[in-house]
């Protein structure tokens, strides 16, 4: 799927080694995130469309203590877009973060030009709270990002 949608995803992703687009590379990537999951640092999820894998969503950088926060990233196969799937997945992941993980905050960040992702976050109740200059190296360039967060109204 990543190979098929490589061009579609490229503007929104870090530059990847060629090995990332191989079965072995994906096995290694998944094994590494499962180690982070075992440590409680991340929660890797797949986005299902009628039981078929349509993309991925990961809760990264889970920090406890006074922060109780994580950062969310996601992508879909191009032919699965435009049907509300990402919005549903983001809402489900936020529920998981707040209920099962007991977190206080979920962060997400997008390129200013990523209108679809910005709309997804707005629909899922995220608030835009700032612009981070040259925040992430996306498509090989340090790029400004719009910062979003959703807070857990139930957290004590
Ligand atoms: C961003 C992405 C996850 C959206 O997935 P999706 O399932 O199509 O999202 P949804 O259908 O839930 O919502 C998309 C919304 O954006 C809107 N939208 C899509 N393209 C748009 C554009 N170019 N300009 C303005 N709005 C746009 C849609 O109309 C929809 O809003 P609406 O429900 O009010 O009509 C998907 O396009 C993707 O994987 N993109 C590449 C990777 C990526 O950008 N990941 C996020 C990095 S922060």
């Amino acid at each position: 799927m990543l190979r098929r949608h490589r061009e579609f995803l490229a503007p929104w992703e870090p530059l990847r080694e060629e090995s990332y687009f191989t079965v072995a590379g994906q096995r290694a990537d998944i094994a590494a995130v499962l180690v982070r999951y075992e440590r409680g640092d991340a929660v890797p999820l797949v986005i299902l469309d009628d039981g078929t894998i349509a993309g991925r969503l990961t809760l990264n950088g889970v920090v406890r203590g006074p922060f109780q926060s994580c950062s969310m990233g996601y992508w879909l196969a191009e032919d699965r877009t435009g049907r509300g799937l990402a919005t549903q997945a983001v809402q489900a992941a936020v529920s998981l973060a707040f209920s099962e993980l007991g977190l206080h905050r979920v962060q997400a960040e997008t390129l200013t030009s990523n209108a679809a992702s910005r709309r997804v976050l707005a629909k899922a109740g995220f608030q835009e709270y700032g612009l981070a200059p040259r925040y992430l190296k996306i498509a090989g360039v340090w790029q400004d990002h719009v910062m979003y967060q959703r807070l857990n109204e139930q957290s004590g």
Side-chain angles (χ1 to χ4, degrees), residues 8-9 12-13 73-77 80-88 109-111 114-117 119-121 123:
F8 168 66
L9 296 172
W12 320 110
E13 290 264 311
Y74 46 83
W75 60 264
L76 274 186
R80 311 282 186 149
T81 60
R83 290 189 290 117
L85 212 53
T87 304
Q88 281 182 57
E109 57 280 328
T110 74
L111 292 179
N114 197 342
S117 189
R119 181 78 191 115
V120 165
L121 294 169
K123 284 193 292 178

Side-chain angles (χ1 to χ4, degrees), residues 10-11 13-15 109-113 131-146:
E13 290 264 311
L15 285 183
E109 57 280 328
T110 74
L111 292 179
T112 51
S113 57
L131 183 76
R134 303 184 76 217
Y135 183 72
L136 290 174
K137 198 171 192 178
I138 298 296
V141 182
W142 290 104
Q143 301 200 49
D144 299 350
H145 280 71
V146 190

